[in-house]
Amino acid sequence: MVKRFIQLSEVSEVLDISSAQAYALVRSGELPAIKVGGRGQWRVEVAELESYIQRMYNETKTFVAAHPFGQGQEGTG
C-alpha cells in the first residue's frame, strides 16, 4: 500500500535538505502539512509534496527565463 502521508524526515530526504529546512517549509505554509497525534507531529501528503516540487520547477523556469545565463557577464574571466 502506498503511503498517503510522510514524515518531515522523509520530506527532507526527498528534497535533500535539512530537517530544519523541511520544518521551515511547513511552518511558513509554503509546503502544506497537517499536525496529527497527541504530540502534534507534522505529516505531509505525498500529493502536496509533488505539487510543491512542480511549483518549484515552474518558479525556477520563470527565474531562468528572466535571468538568462551569461547575460551581462561579458569581459569577465
Side-chain angles (χ1 to χ4, degrees):
M1 181 174 134
V2 177
K3 292 195 295 187
R4 181 174 176 182
F5 292 94
I6 59 175
Q7 299 177 14
L8 288 185
S9 61
E10 293 172 276
V11 170
S12 62
E13 286 179 26
V14 169
L15 297 177
D16 196 22
I17 60 175
S18 71
S19 295
Q21 289 170 310
Y23 179 73
L25 285 174
V26 300
R27 288 292 291 163
S28 70
E30 194 170 348
L31 176 60
I34 59 172
K35 288 185 85 170
V36 296
R39 298 187 307 177
Q41 296 179 348
W42 289 102
R43 294 294 183 268
V44 176
E45 193 168 4
V46 173
E48 290 291 349
L49 179 57
E50 290 302 324
S51 178
Y52 170 79
I53 291 169
Q54 189 59 52
R55 201 166 59 248
M56 292 302 101
Y57 271 122
N58 291 337
E59 286 183 19
T60 301
K61 185 176 182 179
T62 301
F63 174 83
V64 169
H67 304 89
F69 184 71
Q71 279 195 351
Q73 296 185 12
E74 296 173 358
T76 59

